[in-house]
Amino acid sequence: MSVTALVVNYNAGALLTDCIASLVNNGIRDIRVVDNASTDGSLATLVGRYGRSSGVEVLANPTNRGFGPAINDQLDTVSGSKLLIINPDCCLAPGALTLLTAALDHDAGAALAGPRVTDRQGRREPAACRRFPTPRLAFMTASGLSRLAGRFPGLAGVEVHEHTAPPQVAAVEATSGACMLVRTELLRTLGGFDEAYHLHCEDLDLMFRLREAGWRVLYVPQASAMHVQGVSSASRPLWVHRQKHRGLSRFFRQHIAHGVGWPQQALFTLGLWTHWLALWPLQWLRRA
């Protein structure tokens, strides 16, 4: 199994060590941890446990390079034919890597495979299986109308809900960026992640570019990963809140806007930044 695992860490605490343990338990012997100037001691804890392990390499950036640049910095020296990109607050379930690898090996036209990502309670995260955010789909999700999609399919939004998600391996528009197995050489060919996305939506951009290049993205529901959201973002909620909306705005301008009329473009932009403004007070209260 020729797989390199790449983890970009920023203040993930004890979850970082849990993540690496899950990768080791899945049989990965080539693990790189790139730390973006964490200040919470997470890197020291990891080194204390795996510092002498030949299978775990720790790289420390003097400043926070961001997610995309930290991944791109490593692409030229990755040895595995497949690259597992996983968040430091995400743990891969036993056997999940075997299932993800088998899905890619079985489908020569697939570039990326993602598992069923859940929270700590085992509930599937909405981003585990999703569609690209066109104005109509984004409106259905933001308005809450997509919750009625089970009875009225025309109200479907960006997320593919659990009861309508594929029960077996299937090609989808996008999976969760918290855990992705991608063909290494293909990622190099595409130039890695778009570094103009400071945080959030760089995964969605990658999956869109893969589709545009004729490749498929697979959702593998039999493979599972547990994701504790928001750990690395807790120390800077206002900045992260803005980057989420900034990233989505960039994605829309790059990939969606040219296919819709100006009224839809205007409504999407207005709705996006109204949403940012409406939730800003909540994020302000979360700071510190």
Side-chain angles (χ1 to χ4, degrees), residues 118-151:
T118 70
D119 61 16
R120 279 176 162 164
Q121 286 71 46
R123 297 170 299 201
R124 200 200 66 165
E125 291 188 353
C129 184
R130 51 187 169 153
R131 306 176 183 92
F132 295 123
T134 63
R136 185 184 69 82
L137 295 177
F139 172 77
M140 293 301 177
T141 296
S143 67
L145 289 173
S146 62
R147 298 173 185 173
L148 303 175
R151 295 177 59 187

Side-chain angles (χ1 to χ4, degrees), residues 11 43 51 69-70 80 82 127 139 156 164 174 193 210 212 219 229 264 270:
N11 290 345
L43 193 62
K82 297 180 182 70
F139 172 77
T164 57
F193 288 97
L210 287 171
E212 291 292 285
Y219 174 57
Q229 285 188 322
Q264 291 175 291
L270 177 62

